[in-house]
Amino acid sequence: MSAPALLRPRSAPGLSARLARSAAVTDAGHQLRTADIAGWLDERARAHHFAVRRAPLDGLDGWSFAPGTGDLVHRSGRFFAVRGLAAEVGEGPFRRWQQPIIHQPEVGILGILAQEFDGVLHFLMQAKMEPGNPRLLQLAPTVQATRSNYQRIHRGTRVKYLEHFTDPAPGRILADSLQSEHGSWFYRKANRNMLVESAGGVVEPDGDFCWLTLGQIGALLRQDHLVNMDSRTVLGCLPQPGAGPGAERGSLHSDVELLSWFTGERSRHDVDVTLMPLAEVEDWARDKDGIARPDGRFFRVSGVEVKAGNREVTGWSQPLIEPLGTGVAAFVVRHLDGVPHLLVHARVEAGYLDTVELAPTVQCTHRNWEPVRPEDRPPFLRFVQEAAAAGSAVYSAEQSEEGGRFLDARIRYLFVMADEDTAPWKAPRGYAWATVAQLNSLVAHGRYLNVQARTLLACVNSGAVRL
């Protein structure tokens, strides 16, 4: 994929200022006070019947292990499948491995509908249950649907408000980009991330939907497990609220220098990834509970049966990726002449369509690295862990990942201030300093920032953290 010639904001005129006004409204919006939103989610949970229980993979209704390959597939041939993957990379302590991975070729829609009330932009958010969420109901985008969902392959009810995103009125698209998902668990998965402003009259929210300002969402992002991953990735794709023109203003590296470094990182990595039969994956074993490694590292493939009163389909079974251990994703931050810079990592993940994407400074699950020599562990991991333990991070919250595909997937997200001793301006190979404005400009294009980096960028865009 070729890089854009320049990093320049590509957004509707005045959108950055409108987002800044919305981010400044934190206590109450058009519909709810911020302090009442957690209670509203609890009320919506009581209004519907939800139940999730574990089930053996070979007992999931509609799912089976395909003859010959052993791939775990749905009888419709749609939705997704769990296949095997073989990867070989050119550097690092883990250079060759095999694993199960989710293969979902469909491009879904993650869309948030926006509308002004009293001159302040609001976002239509949904109380949505996902079986893998630690807190079953979280705030989701207006529309969160795979193509199979909105084409009603499951024969369920229609997806509410879908028409705003499949047929938006001219001039109403405020942001739209194709973004990757977790490259360690998905094979080349992408979703369309959209912000669309409603045309015409006031859109009345359904009972499971509410209008919130960007500042209200930012306040909720300071709490654990209230805003789901799909909301965070859309918010991470917005232009920086209140930012003026010129992404490289005050930056250590010019736009061209940053793009040249990133292009060089994509070019220098040799990555060989192929799908393979799940039944032939080495170092993984299937038992009555799922598919996992005997050493208990990384993740397992588990099964669940679901009852959900407010979904397009009220009952179903499915496999989920269940990470083993809580992850950490952290940006190390420094200031140059008052301008905050984030230390980004050009990270290789087997499931990316391109070789690398820009990730947080640290992104890993510590228990997976315990058998590795300390000198081979991720740079800055110890520094970030010590800051988290000391409570000195400027932002720290535990958030869950996509609950429709992952079971109890928890990541501790952090911003940690550094100095020349802990994070020099001369960054190690594979790392570079970039301003928030530069990252906001890059994320307008697909497959530059990974999903964990977009979550952290959403925290900045919404005012959850001020750097």
Side-chain angles (χ1 to χ4, degrees), residues 386-429:
E386 290 175 349
S392 60
V394 294
Y395 173 86
S396 176
E398 187 179 283
Q399 305 292 354
S400 52
E401 303 310 292
E402 214 284 288
R405 298 293 178 266
F406 313 132
L407 179 60
D408 202 25
R410 301 166 181 256
I411 295 179
R412 171 66 60 178
Y413 284 94
L414 305 118
F415 284 90
V416 179
M417 294 295 177
D419 55 25
E420 184 64 19
D421 291 332
T422 52
W425 286 117
K426 183 174 175 56
R429 190 180 193 189

Side-chain angles (χ1 to χ4, degrees), residues 34-35 37-38 135 216-227 232 395-400 412 464:
T34 307
I37 296 171
R135 174 187 178 131
Q216 287 183 291
I217 300 170
L220 298 174
L221 279 169
R222 299 187 191 107
Q223 303 180 49
D224 297 346
H225 306 300
L226 282 181
V227 182
R232 302 192 308 263
Y395 173 86
S396 176
E398 187 179 283
Q399 305 292 354
S400 52
R412 171 66 60 178

Side-chain angles (χ1 to χ4, degrees), residues 36-47:
D36 295 334
I37 296 171
W40 177 77
L41 281 169
D42 290 338
E43 184 274 326
R44 298 320 303 159
R46 290 191 297 270

Side-chain angles (χ1 to χ4, degrees), residues 278-353:
L278 181 61
E280 298 177 12
V281 171
E282 297 176 352
D283 301 322
W284 294 74
R286 176 179 156 195
D287 59 25
K288 64 181 180 64
D289 296 318
I291 301 170
R293 289 171 56 97
D295 62 9
R297 295 165 68 196
F298 302 109
F299 63 86
R300 66 181 298 114
V301 182
S302 301
V304 295
E305 293 181 348
V306 186
K307 300 294 183 186
N310 72 337
R311 292 290 298 262
E312 294 86 5
V313 173
T314 57
W316 71 93
S317 300
Q318 69 171 94
L320 293 169
I321 295 287
E322 182 179 7
L324 302 175
T326 298
V328 60
F331 267 131
V332 169
V333 187
R334 290 192 65 183
H335 285 80
L336 178 64
D337 296 330
V339 177
H341 285 63
L342 309 178
L343 187 58
V344 294
H345 178 208
R347 178 182 173 88
V348 174
E349 291 190 15
Y352 290 153
L353 179 61

Side-chain angles (χ1 to χ4, degrees), residues 5-27:
L6 290 175
L7 293 176
R8 288 292 177 261
R10 296 184 180 182
S11 57
L15 177 58
S16 181
R18 297 173 71 199
L19 291 172
R21 286 196 297 272
S22 185
V25 179
T26 60
D27 293 333

Side-chain angles (χ1 to χ4, degrees), residues 30 115-117 198-205 211:
H30 170 73
Q115 189 160 44
E116 277 197 3
F117 296 96
S198 172
V202 173
V203 175
E204 294 296 337
W211 288 105

